[in-house]
Amino acid sequence: MITTLIFDVDGTLADTERDGHRVAFNQAFEQNGLDWFWSEETYGKLLAVTGGKERMQFYVDTHDKTEKNCADLKQMIIDLHAQKTKNYVALLENGTIPLRAGVERLLNEAKDKGLRLAIATTTTPENVTALLSNTLGKDSIDWFEVIGAGDIVPAKKPAPDIYSYVMDKMGVKAEECIAFEDSINGYKSSSAADLKTVITYNGYTQEDDFSGAELILDTYGDDATPSLDMLNLYSKPYFELADLLSELNTQ
Ligand code: XBP
Ligand code: MG
């Protein structure tokens, strides 16, 4: 019996990477007098590394020989990341990043059905609350029983730890849950935690290998933005939880 839905944030609830995180990183680099610039293409490659601090460390290791010798690189990355988080939250407060099509409808359907909701993400906790409050309103933070985020687990996705952390906190077993993800690192994490996973891919993740996922969609879809994959697979314009639940709960 499915009782719990666990959502990833970046790329799943909203397309935050290209026009949100990437922009906020570039602003932080400029604010700190660094000549680093992450183009859309470069950022696509850097997304292989999850976590903003880890991503910057990887960039230094692979691209910037001068900063590699910086006396306190670890502290520099922590400071850059704090600035980046401020920049990112400001972008959300300006309403720059909307939710993906169908997300609000899906969350409401889940609440109406009495399902338990949670979040399992790599990003910083304040980024999650800022996204929720600026798109769905402040109260929406309380829709989620557990928000597992950022450094709360040392091993970020693709490790299963953040999903295991959330399930432990909620006292639920993997077979009671569905994960919602958008990327290969997210899918590796949820499947390593034995979770059934629904994928909504995006521009950065459409070539990722999601074989074995419960459902792989371009978008959950809504009236204004139908899901082409739902139309192809089920001749329906959008994904509804009811269909998946009746399939999974009768297995
Ligand atoms: C999201 C990430 C995060 C964000 C940046 O992955 O990889 O690192 O890009 O967030 P997922 P921070 O959607 O799989 O959780 O800078 O706050 O780390
Ligand atoms: Mg994601």
Side-chain angles (χ1 to χ4, degrees):
M1 183 78 179
I2 301 295
T3 60
T4 303
L5 309 184
I6 310 178
F7 286 86
D8 169 50
V9 175
D10 295 302
T12 299
L13 295 186
D15 262 325
T16 50
E17 294 290 6
R18 190 191 62 192
D19 302 326
H21 291 293
R22 186 185 70 89
V23 172
F25 279 114
N26 283 332
Q27 288 171 341
F29 302 153
E30 205 180 324
Q31 286 155 339
N32 286 274
L34 289 166
D35 65 355
W36 303 352
F37 175 76
W38 290 355
S39 67
E40 289 179 21
E41 197 193 338
T42 301
Y43 195 68
K45 294 186 185 131
L46 292 170
L47 282 174
V49 179
T50 60
K53 294 189 284 290
E54 294 81 351
R55 192 168 297 144
M56 283 189 278
Q57 178 67 56
F58 175 78
Y59 182 74
V60 172
D61 292 343
T62 53
H63 289 77
D64 192 325
K65 294 192 176 50
T66 45
E67 296 300 338
K68 226 173 175 166
N69 300 324
C70 161
D72 203 349
L73 181 59
K74 200 162 173 234
Q75 190 58 49
M76 174 179 143
I77 286 177
I78 289 171
D79 295 343
L80 276 172
H81 192 252
Q83 181 67 59
K84 177 259 164 180
T85 299
K86 273 191 201 158
N87 298 339
Y88 179 74
V89 168
L91 288 171
L92 293 175
E93 282 166 357
N94 293 337
T96 314
I97 315 272
L99 294 179
R100 290 190 69 180
V103 167
E104 185 168 1
R105 175 180 56 73
L106 194 58
L107 292 174
N108 282 321
E109 192 190 346
K111 286 198 299 152
D112 289 347
K113 290 185 161 43
L115 291 164
R116 301 172 71 185
L117 299 176
I119 278 174
T121 178
T122 297
T123 203
T124 305
E126 58 213 276
N127 296 348
V128 181
T129 46
L131 179 72
L132 293 174
S133 54
N134 285 289
T135 52
L136 295 166
K138 247 189 160 41
D139 291 350
S140 65
I141 296 166
D142 297 332
W143 299 355
F144 298 89
E145 260 179 65
V146 175
I147 296 184
D151 298 325
I152 191 115
V153 289
K156 293 186 176 167
K157 297 176 188 178
D161 302 31
I162 194 68
Y163 279 103
S164 306
Y165 168 87
V166 168
M167 288 189 286
D168 279 357
K169 278 237 145 192
M170 297 178 89
V172 290
K173 295 199 179 77
E175 56 264 34
E176 295 174 60
C177 304
I178 307 171
F180 293 83
E181 276 287 354
D182 73 298
S183 70
I184 190 63
N185 279 324
Y187 180 47
K188 281 183 180 165
S189 172
S190 62
S191 45
D194 291 329
L195 291 162
K196 297 170 203 66
T197 305
V198 173
I199 302 289
T200 39
Y201 54 86
N202 55 58
Y204 277 135
T205 65
Q206 59 195 356
E207 306 295 335
D208 291 356
D209 179 5
F210 295 118
S211 39
E214 215 58 47
L215 199 52
I216 306 168
L217 299 173
D218 50 346
T219 168
Y220 305 125
D222 56 24
D223 285 327
T225 319
S227 161
L228 299 181
D229 289 326
M230 279 301 294
L231 284 170
N232 282 337
L233 290 166
Y234 302 105
S235 307
K236 284 183 65 165
Y238 51 76
F239 168 73
E240 280 179 288
L241 214 43
D243 297 331
L244 183 64
L245 290 178
S246 65
E247 192 187 313
L248 294 176
N249 286 335
T250 50
Q251 268 174 15

